Amino acid sequence: MSFLDYFRGKKTNTNTANVAKERLQIIVAHERGHRKQPDYLPALQQELLAVIRKYVDISDDMVQVEIDRTDTCSVLELNVTLPEK
Amino acid sequence: MARIIVVTSGKGGVGKTTTSASISTGIAKRGHKTVVIDFDVGLRNLDLIMNCERRVVYDFVNVIQGEASLSQALIRDKRVDTLFILPASQTREKEALTKEGVEKVINELSQTFDYIICDSPAGIEHGAQMALYFADEAIVVTNPEVSSVRDSDRILGILQSKSRRAEKGQDPVKEHLLVTRYNPARVERGEMLSVADVEEILAIPLLGIIPESQVVLNASNQGLPVILETETDAGQAYDDAVARLLGEEREHRFMTAHKKGFFSRMFKGG
Ligand SMILES: Nc1ncnc2c1ncn2[C@@H]1O[C@H](COP(=O)(O)OP(=O)(O)O)[C@@H](O)[C@H]1O
Ligand SMILES: [Mg+2]
């Protein structure tokens, strides 16, 4: 690392408040989305997982269940990642 | 009917107890009959900040379990005679606070007090949920840093879904943001989230800004709510917050660093 880089590096690193704000915006949006999910969702996810496991060997994080609500309808979104064969 | 206000945050060590002591003292000093309840069962800090630790005989859990009456457990403040403290138990577990027990105590207090301030324990579990359940209003104490803001947002979610008002479908709990341990110089250097950043993320109205200040520690060393240190920045910041809580309009202070450099003074013409 050159002498100049040292100063440049230092300069870009000091505005960590912006980084904090961007990270927070993402975290908070993600968590708020989850909060609006119905109470039965975790149980539904577990049962779906059990059914799929009868046929394919998958791990817990390979099934994602979400509910998207708009004014007129709700969509149950089921995302299953199958292992590569 | 008493106004029930919870002081909450999710994260620990952000200034809830400091805030509960000062806000309750400030409200009581203006003549309102006020009680501050320590919900931090198992720890008990509020009596230390209020300098009444040697006068604790019975506590909140004793009252809930019928081992003492409220009047036996309440401690009258030595400095402000409209202020009372209901201390937490040091020996019990948080589970000793049942919803029915807390409700009974709060209902009884509501008949004689104008303000009930609930000092919440850290976390988002049972103890914190008991502290906020009966609240009409919430002061969300937040430090300008990532984990504190995130935890405040979680507590807001709980206020909006698990409080009595939410469960009964009544008007929502009124939310107030109190940013504490604020260091404007570090904000100006880009090292700390600004009040505007925190407001934007949490999207609730700002009650006040309490600067990071040595006087807070000095006051707590002596068992003095910092609001009584009327010549200090933190003391005045808490006084502003109390005034706003009681409906007065006051401009926000302590947002910018004290010592202005030569140039900023020149450009501000001051
Ligand atoms: N504005 C402030 N400036 C400096 N120190 C503070 C400030 N507010 C709180 N503190 C300190 O932070 C620590 C935790 O405060 P406390 O009120 O006990 O937090 P909590 O109840 O949220 O756990 C204490 O040592 C207190 O003196
Ligand atoms: Mg505390």
Side-chain angles (χ1 to χ4, degrees), chain B residues 128-141:
Chain B
Q129 294 197 13
M130 284 303 104
L132 66 76
Y133 188 74
F134 298 96
D136 300 309
E137 297 179 44
I139 297 175
V140 179
V141 179

Side-chain angles (χ1 to χ4, degrees), chain B residues 8 42 69 79 86 91 102 115 129 137 141 144 148 150 154 156 159-160 166 178 198 205 209 226 257:
Chain B
T8 185
S69 69
R79 292 163 290 234
L86 183 55
T91 52
V102 174
Y115 285 86
Q129 294 197 13
E137 297 179 44
V141 179
S148 175
R150 197 265 312 262
R154 287 189 174 166
L156 288 169
L159 284 163
Q160 291 156 13
L178 188 70
V198 180
I209 305 152
V226 70

Side-chain angles (χ1 to χ4, degrees), chain A residues 37-84:
Chain A
Q37 302 287 333
D39 289 344
Y40 61 74
L41 215 66
L44 177 66
Q45 175 157 356
Q46 283 312 307
E47 284 185 43
L48 285 169
L49 198 63
V51 171
I52 296 167
R53 274 211 188 116
K54 285 186 187 169
Y55 306 93
V56 200
D57 185 27
I58 55 169
S59 61
D60 282 11
D61 56 352
M62 290 165 101
V63 170
Q64 246 133 49
V65 186
E66 253 162 70
I67 290 194
D68 246 335
R69 288 208 184 104
T70 61
D71 289 343
T72 50
C73 71
S74 300
V75 176
L76 175 69
E77 206 179 291
L78 179 62
N79 202 331
V80 186
T81 315
L82 294 178
E84 283 176 45

Side-chain angles (χ1 to χ4, degrees), chain B residues 16-17 40 45 119-120:
Chain B
K16 289 180 295 296
T17 300
D40 207 347
N45 281 323
D119 180 18
S120 175

